[in-house]
Amino acid sequence: MNEQEQRRKKKRYEKIYRRNLRLYKHKKVKLPFLEVWAGKQCTLQCRDCLHMIPYIKQEKLSIQKLIRDCDILFELCEVDYFSIAGGEPFCCKDLYKLLDYIADSQAVKNGKIITNGTVMPDKRTRESLKNLKGKLEIRVDIYPGQEEKTKLFLEFLEKEQLRCHVQKYRADKKSNWKHVSSPDQWEIPEKMTELIYKDCEVRRCTSLCDGELTSCPRGIISSEIYHIEKNFCEHVRVSQLKNDTASRARIATCIDDSVYKDYCRYCLGLNAANPYFVVPGVQIRKKDTK
């Protein structure tokens, strides 16, 4: 991004922030969708992973820290829909702590857990799933070639009659999987980025990972993959927030969808104009990852 673009975006964000100081003086910020990452580990190596997990450092994250961050956000925001993602959430041995927290939380009314179904939860986690009493739907994405690995998980869901949705993908059928970028994605021109961003389905997918809040899961991995400096207006450290107007304005500015994000310059977007459909769940070899 050149200096002229940077100055233009900075002025727009300054204007948005001042407006948000007025708007959120006495009310919470509305988050239509909040996705939290339970970890950066996965059992699969999907070439076209939206979160680009195969291309980043695989690591465990602190569930206790995530819960503290959720506490802060729930004080500042109203969350319509809460999603637990990853990586693969069930790779996290402490996931039950988050599930128990959500079960008791008045701030979460509805949501989902996104899993590939290849990890059978341990006894403690299975009990926590049952204790949710349907508050979170378990969405199981079954990719071509992975059907056998999901049998135990699907049998558990059926036996316990847990709220779930099973999405089966086929290698020979057009799906909603699209190629949105790769680790060697070129920088997209600003005007084209603005057009892509305008109709992108993920621009309101507010994501929280390892203490960082941004408006799209691609923002979480942008620095590691594309080596771009994070824009202060587009990335918020939750631990630095207070229960005040300035913090609410910061969140509202971060997720404002009228301005494309710096990391959008490396993404083709999920929208109707993107013609690049791909076979879902194609696995890559270990040596092809970074």
Side-chain angles (χ1 to χ4, degrees), residues 82-216:
F82 184 88
S83 176
I84 300 175
E88 169 51 51
F90 291 103
C91 283
C92 177
K93 298 301 182 183
D94 289 336
L95 182 64
Y96 72 90
K97 297 179 181 178
L98 178 61
L99 299 179
D100 290 345
Y101 169 77
I102 294 303
D104 294 336
S105 175
Q106 297 299 311
V108 177
K109 308 298 183 185
N110 192 19
K112 64 184 173 184
I113 307 168
I114 303 175
T115 175
N116 60 36
T118 63
V119 179
M120 185 61 192
D122 60 23
K123 183 178 179 181
R124 183 67 183 81
T125 305
R126 293 198 298 269
E127 289 301 315
S128 295
L129 286 169
K130 290 186 282 186
N131 289 338
L132 283 170
K133 301 186 186 304
K135 181 181 278 192
L136 300 181
E137 176 183 72
I138 304 169
R139 196 189 88 186
V140 188
D141 292 338
I142 303 178
Y143 305 124
Q146 308 300 327
E147 295 84 357
E148 193 66 28
K149 297 178 182 179
T150 66
K151 280 187 175 181
L152 281 178
F153 192 88
L154 296 178
E155 288 171 1
F156 161 67
L157 295 179
E158 184 178 3
K159 178 183 176 182
E160 300 299 336
Q161 296 184 316
L162 297 179
R163 179 188 171 200
C164 66
H165 171 73
V166 179
Q167 176 68 56
K168 295 183 179 180
Y169 294 92
R170 288 171 46 184
D172 62 342
K173 187 177 180 181
K174 188 176 180 180
S175 73
N176 61 351
W177 269 56
K178 292 187 177 184
H179 171 73
V180 293
S181 69
S182 63
D184 56 356
Q185 174 69 45
W186 67 90
E187 184 175 351
I188 300 170
E190 182 185 21
K191 292 299 182 183
M192 184 182 295
T193 300
E194 289 177 339
L195 289 174
I196 292 171
Y197 178 74
K198 182 179 178 182
D199 297 313
C200 184
E201 297 172 12
V202 197
R203 65 178 181 157
R204 297 182 182 90
C205 180
T206 307
S207 299
L208 170 64
C209 176
D210 198 21
E212 178 186 333
L213 187 77
T214 189
S215 66
C216 171

Side-chain angles (χ1 to χ4, degrees), residues 213-260:
L213 187 77
T214 189
S215 66
C216 171
R218 284 303 175 101
I220 299 295
I221 53 86
S222 60
S223 179
E224 186 173 350
I225 296 291
Y226 302 115
H227 310 292
I228 58 175
E229 185 177 351
K230 292 185 177 180
N231 187 326
F232 174 79
C233 297
E234 298 172 356
H235 302 265
V236 174
R237 298 304 303 180
V238 176
S239 62
Q240 297 174 358
L241 299 175
K242 301 177 182 179
N243 191 6
D244 60 12
T245 302
S247 293
R248 291 191 290 273
R250 274 222 63 200
I251 294 173
T253 302
C254 171
I255 66 170
D256 187 281
D257 65 359
S258 66
V259 185
Y260 77 87

